[in-house]
Amino acid sequence: MATSHAEPVTVQKFAIPALAKDLIAGTVGGWAQVVVGHPFDTLKVRMQTQPSPPIYRNAMDCFRALVKQDGPKGLYRGVTSPLAGVGFCNAVVFMSNGYFRRMFQWGDETKELSLIEIGMAGGLAGTVMAFFNCPIELLKVKLQVQDPAGVIGPTGKLEPAYKGVLDCGIRTARAQGIQGLYRGLGVTLLRDSPSYVSYFITYEGLKRIMQALKKDPKEELSTFELLMAGGLAGFGAWIPAYPQDVIKSRYQNDTRYTSARQAFRSVLREAGAKAFVQGLGPTMARAFPANAATFFAFEMSMKAMS
């Protein structure tokens, strides 16, 4: 009697498309960035948008005043918008960056890009991201700086404080139209494009230096090394972009300005050149842990999907 042998069952592993991997990992990285960095961002925006003469002496004074007024939850004002928005925007920027990198590889996935090509891909990704980032940041700024007693409406009268990101978005669009949500797009582009050039060059450059210093070139970078590269990339991102960020925050928050150029001139006239580094302390304090978390979460997510 013949014995039949069953053919072994082969289970094929589902291959996730490259764009989908970038999208998922970028979203996870964005969420990690918000959880770690939002309190620092709140301090930065309040320092940037305070009137002249300033209300706060420094970032610590701003921190104490905000916690005294609202408790620790005050540091997470407007967090709903970036949790939804930064996760999405981070997904867009990492997905775009991956797409442009593959474009520069010209179909050869084994080709290692130069740092110049990495910077070009990053700059293009930053340009794409600005169109998504602008309305999200506008709502975040409005929620972060509003007074619990109310906000000044388009007629100049005191109106109830925004109940949340949806209420803020609806009221902004109702008062200024959909274009009101894109207030500050030009200066956002001027901020994000050079910022992401520096961001990705710094990260990839540091990773290559760390890899070159290893005795075994095949040895993977450690968690500490990845966190250091990501954190220092955060510094790199802000160096070419911070003055534009100050102008963007002022322009988006104060509807009296008719253009970003007018906001720039007004800030320079009222507070001098030092105004363009207001809030730099909490920004740099946030940049390291927030971006270390971003890149580490991105790398681990990509590894899990490989």
Side-chain angles (χ1 to χ4, degrees):
M1 184 176 177
T3 304
S4 62
H5 297 280
E7 291 291 330
V9 177
T10 303
V11 179
Q12 289 188 335
K13 187 177 180 180
F14 175 71
I16 303 174
L19 277 177
K21 287 182 181 180
D22 293 334
L23 183 70
I24 294 167
T27 301
V28 174
W31 288 340
Q33 180 183 116
V34 173
V35 170
V36 173
H38 191 78
F40 297 100
D41 190 65
T42 298
L43 297 178
K44 179 204 75 171
V45 171
R46 292 184 75 88
M47 290 288 291
Q48 286 178 340
T49 57
Q50 64 180 322
S52 183
I55 301 171
Y56 310 113
R57 294 189 300 275
N58 50 45
M60 281 304 300
D61 184 45
C62 179
F63 170 80
R64 285 191 290 266
L66 192 57
V67 172
K68 183 178 180 180
Q69 182 179 352
D70 293 338
K73 71 178 188 296
L75 298 171
Y76 280 91
R77 278 185 180 183
V79 74
T80 307
S81 176
L83 264 179
V86 172
F88 175 72
C89 283
N90 222 57
V92 168
V93 79
F94 275 93
M95 185 174 67
S96 300
N97 183 61
Y99 172 81
F100 290 121
R101 286 192 187 194
R102 286 186 288 275
M103 185 181 75
F104 287 128
Q105 287 177 320
W106 299 101
D108 181 7
E109 294 184 3
T110 62
K111 177 189 174 185
E112 183 178 67
L113 297 179
S114 68
L115 289 181
I116 291 175
E117 289 170 321
I118 285 171
M120 289 171 63
L124 289 169
T127 300
V128 172
M129 205 266 275
F131 287 90
F132 295 91
N133 203 19
C134 182
I136 291 166
E137 289 211 351
L138 180 136
L139 299 180
K140 174 180 70 68
V141 166
K142 284 178 174 289
L143 288 165
Q144 284 176 320
V145 303
Q146 73 169 341
D147 193 298
V151 296
I152 302 298
T155 61
K157 296 181 180 179
L158 187 68
E159 296 181 357
Y162 300 120
K163 297 175 183 177
V165 64
L166 185 60
D167 179 47
C168 182
I170 291 172
R171 285 165 60 179
T172 300
R174 188 181 296 155
Q176 302 167 31
I178 295 298
Q179 68 270 22
L181 296 172
Y182 279 89
R183 180 179 172 86
L185 176 60
V187 72
T188 303
L189 283 165
L190 290 174
R191 181 196 67 172
D192 286 354
S193 295
S195 176
Y196 281 101
V197 170
S198 179
Y199 190 50
F200 286 109
I201 284 179
T202 303
Y203 182 65
E204 293 296 338
L206 287 170
K207 282 176 63 182
R208 291 182 184 186
I209 291 170
M210 292 174 183
Q211 195 70 58
L213 292 174
K214 289 185 176 296
K215 293 180 180 178
D216 181 359
K218 294 182 180 180
E219 182 185 349
E220 292 186 353
L221 295 178
S222 66
T223 296
F224 175 77
E225 288 168 327
L226 288 173
L227 289 172
M228 286 297 294
L232 291 171
F235 291 158
W238 279 110
I239 289 171
Y242 196 79
Q244 301 96 297
D245 190 64
V246 173
I247 298 166
K248 181 194 71 69
S249 294
R250 289 287 188 111
Y251 180 54
Q252 287 185 325
N253 181 58
D254 196 335
T255 55
R256 292 175 301 174
Y257 297 128
T258 58
S259 68
R261 181 179 295 181
Q262 185 188 17
F264 165 76
R265 289 174 176 170
S266 177
V267 172
L268 188 62
R269 183 177 62 253
E270 292 175 6
K274 66 181 180 183
F276 297 108
V277 294
Q278 280 188 343
L280 184 60
T283 298
M284 288 306 189
R286 169 188 180 272
F288 191 95
N291 288 286
T294 300
F295 273 112
F296 185 73
F298 176 82
E299 295 275 12
M300 294 303 101
S301 299
M302 290 294 281
K303 188 175 181 179
M305 290 184 287
S306 62

